Amino acid sequence: EIYNVLNGSGWFNSTGWQSDGAQCDWFGVSCHDDRLVSAIDLRSNNLAGSFPSESLSSLRELQWLDLADNKLFGSIDDFVFYQVHGLHHIDLSENDLSGEVHVLISPSVQYLNFSRNNFTSTSQLHKFKQSYYTIQTIDLSYNIILADVSEIFQDIPPNLVELILTENYIYGTLPDPLPVLEDMKRLLINDNMLSGQIPDISRSFPLINELNLSNQSRAENGGLSGPIPLGWSNLRYLVFLDLSYNKLDNVVPPDMSNLPQLKVLNISNNDLSGELPTELGNLAGILEIFDVSNNVLTGTVPFELGSYNDALILLSGNNDLWTPAPLSLCFVPGFDLINNSTLCPLERNVLKKFYDSTKGQEWTESEYWIDPYTSQCYWQGVVCDKSGTTIIELNLKHNGLSGKLDTGIAELDSLEVLDLNDNDIKGTIPSEIGLLHKLIRLRLSFNAFVGKVPSELGQLDNLELVHLHGNRLSGTVPADMNVKSLPQEETSSFITDCGVPTDFDEPLLCEECTMCCNSAGDCHSTEPAKLAQVQAKGFDSYAQFIWVFLLLLLGYVFLVVIASFYYDRFVYKAPPRSDTERSTIIEDKKYALETIGSDSVYSFYMSKNWHAWGLDLAVLAVQIAALVMFVQAAVKDFSNDRSDFIYSWKCSRNSTICTDESDLNWQGWALFAILMAAHLLKDIINGLKLLILCGKRRHSTTSRMRFFVGGFFLTWISLFTVYASTVYNIAIARSNTDIIINTVIILFICDVDEYFYRAIQAASSFWTAGQRDDEKDDDMESRFEELQRRVEARDEQNEQLEMRVNALERVLMAQQTDVSQDPH
């Protein structure tokens, strides 16, 4: 009969319903052991038609009936299940039933679900009925029931566990007090038309788990009103509480925080005012949803809400809350105003991450840092612009920072000064710093940074000071880093660890740095010395400038020789060598020997012995090689471990300006000049004299060549000694005593020729005897030439006498001829 009445042919599943088999085998039918029907479950099976009251009433042993989610219509007879004494579960939800609801429809009913139908009213609940004491769940939600809530609670069954009246037209005021229902766990009367105040729930429903009185907006006065009652601390089992979308006012009761199992608290869209109680922090770790949005709350947001790590916290719509929100709250992912720049300033959040990443709890000074309400502009080391909202400076030098530098620092996009000098920050320098385009001063010195200097730092165009020394950086500093230094900080504007010695195989390379420091903490300016600045045009080092020096000297030598030659021939008009007394030439040679020094191997230049010349050139080569070594060691090459250059600067942890700690002053250089002049001026003058002799006509080509070579090398070695000593002292002399010591050592090299001569003289007299033989040969040659000149003079006199005699003879012969011809 049920099959026929409810359009069985259209069921989704009708297995067995038209067969001759026992009903216990039909789809949706269950039976007792005696083959009587105990349960019918045809949920969601496309049943259609009027509710089969008569057919169902004949199933006297039925205990379970579920016809939900079908197309049943019509009303239900109050006595349909009067004789079905065992029926305890009835679910007719999601149909199209209408009329009056008979809640106590079966003598033993425990569960009744008539939700999502079109019922319009409920019948009176009679205490004399057995079901009055058995029923536990009543679900009449999503109907169109019009009833006074006080009448519903007037004769409510005492053992009720769940009462669900959601989305009907229940009106009126909740009775105060409410009836005591000790087993009540779910009371849902949301989306109705209730009004008035909420009575004390705790006295009536001590075991309540879920209470929903929200959205009574259908009422003319806007729903429930007045203050939220007290007594919540007695509801130890409350898990869900929703009082939203009403007209509740006054403050949020502090005792709401004493609900140990509460997971959802929604009191949004009311007229609640005042400050949120700090006691709400007791719900941290318990509450999953806390919604107080769209009220008129004021004052500060309790920082205790910041401990709701995984909860959804909704505070929007309370426009009078004081700002900013607690710092910890702005790091709760579920906070709905986390992106509100007023309540949760982005820069404050960035500083919080910076604090955590650099172990802020261990800082030396951290006044106001991560204070829940203090503006970040008042935190230790933080400076904001005039508006007091934007951070322009972060200065935490000497403050015990450690850990790593958070990449989020790039979000401080107005930062002009970042000074983290003298801390213990580890890891790499974040490349994101290159996004701080307004940055002017960057000090990351004296930390424990490792790795390479990010190439992104080359994007910073406004830098005036960069200090990266005192770390463990390697590689190459970006060549496009442009540091526009201030005049007072020019030397100290760009400092890295580009000096030697270094802790790495190769030192840090930095072409643009103004100061290079080494692993010992000593530094030196990369600005070339004044002498090197003169050399810089085409030459990179002192060693390369030796060739320039040599060319200049050659020019000087040739100029002196030419001038001497010109003066001797055209001004003085000296006679040629053939007309010069031999004694004068010999005297010149003796003078030259005395000038060059008879106790020096340089005197061998006046010798005709080629072996002596070879020895002399070898000694000269030794002197030049030694001096070249000093010049090469003086080169300021921060990448060369062989450089003797001494770092005289200190770039202190406590100052942005490096200081030169050299004690060398003008007095030391004056002593240096005196020593140079006393020792070498004689040789320079004597070299000049030899060059002048080279230009005299009276000397042979060989002699003049000797004078030239002797004068050139004497001048060269003297001036080169001055050059080498000067550049070497510039490189390593850091006190007046240093410059004297260095000068004496180098001058010793200048005297090597004399020490070699003495050694040779002590070892063998051959070389010095040869020199004396040359002197004797010159003397004998001079005497022979003198004798030859006298003989030639006598021959000339004899020729002249003979010519005179011949002339006299011719005169006499002429006179004799005249006498013989005269007749008288």
Side-chain angles (χ1 to χ4, degrees), residues 245-262:
Y245 289 94
N246 284 291
K247 290 293 182 180
L248 300 174
D249 55 25
N250 215 307
V251 299
V252 177
D255 66 345
M256 277 188 163
S257 61
N258 296 324
L259 298 170
Q261 299 187 49
L262 188 64

Side-chain angles (χ1 to χ4, degrees), residues 324-332 335 337-357 369-372 374-376 379 389 391 406 408-409 411-412:
L327 180 57
S328 56
L329 179 58
C330 294
F331 283 86
V332 175
F335 180 36
L337 298 177
I338 193 171
N339 295 319
N340 185 300
S341 59
T342 303
L343 282 170
C344 294
L346 174 62
E347 292 187 338
R348 187 179 67 156
N349 294 346
V350 171
L351 291 182
K352 171 62 166 59
K353 295 177 182 178
F354 172 84
Y355 178 87
D356 292 337
S357 66
W369 273 80
I370 67 169
D371 183 86
T374 302
S375 168
Q376 66 274 14
W379 293 4
T389 58
I391 298 174
D406 186 71
I409 198 170
E411 297 184 69
L412 302 177

Side-chain angles (χ1 to χ4, degrees), residues 729-759:
N729 277 308
I730 291 174
I732 74 166
R734 296 299 176 254
S735 66
N736 293 337
T737 55
D738 284 348
I739 198 171
I740 301 302
I741 294 172
N742 296 337
T743 302
V744 170
I745 293 173
I746 296 177
L747 286 177
F748 172 80
I749 297 174
C750 191
D751 291 339
V752 166
D753 56 308
E754 297 178 6
Y755 293 111
F756 265 101
Y757 183 85
R758 294 171 189 171

